[in-house]
Amino acid sequence: AQYQAPPLAAAALIERLIGVAVGIIIAVSVLFVLWGAFKFLISGGDPTATKQARDIIIYALVAIGVALLARVLVNITVEIFRF
């Protein structure tokens, strides 16, 4: 007898996909924050390089915020429409 997993409901599948996507986005964003910090450290006080590094960090933090907000909105939507 071979075990077969029960089919996932649409809501559970969406939650799982969003969870994976959010995890990937956060991981990549953390790498960009580290890259921006590195660029900031090696900028040597150059205003252009410092601004570029600061922009990288800000955009990465915004990406983390948007990813977390998407996760929250999906959870709220699933809870509203779940029977």
Side-chain angles (χ1 to χ4, degrees):
Q2 185 178 2
Y3 174 75
Q4 286 187 321
L8 289 176
L13 179 62
I14 291 170
E15 283 180 300
R16 184 173 289 176
L17 290 175
I18 293 296
V20 169
V22 167
I24 291 170
I25 290 169
I26 289 176
V28 171
S29 295
V30 167
L31 292 175
F32 271 97
V33 168
L34 293 174
W35 175 247
F38 177 73
K39 288 186 67 92
F40 190 82
L41 288 174
I42 64 170
S43 68
D46 177 29
T48 304
T50 302
K51 182 184 181 326
Q52 184 184 25
R54 188 175 60 240
D55 288 345
I56 290 171
I57 294 170
I58 289 171
Y59 295 148
L61 293 175
V62 168
I64 290 172
V66 169
L68 293 175
L69 182 61
R71 175 82 170 148
V72 169
L73 290 175
V74 167
N75 285 342
I76 290 171
T77 305
V78 166
E79 286 302 318
I80 288 172
F81 292 109
R82 183 174 284 169
F83 299 2

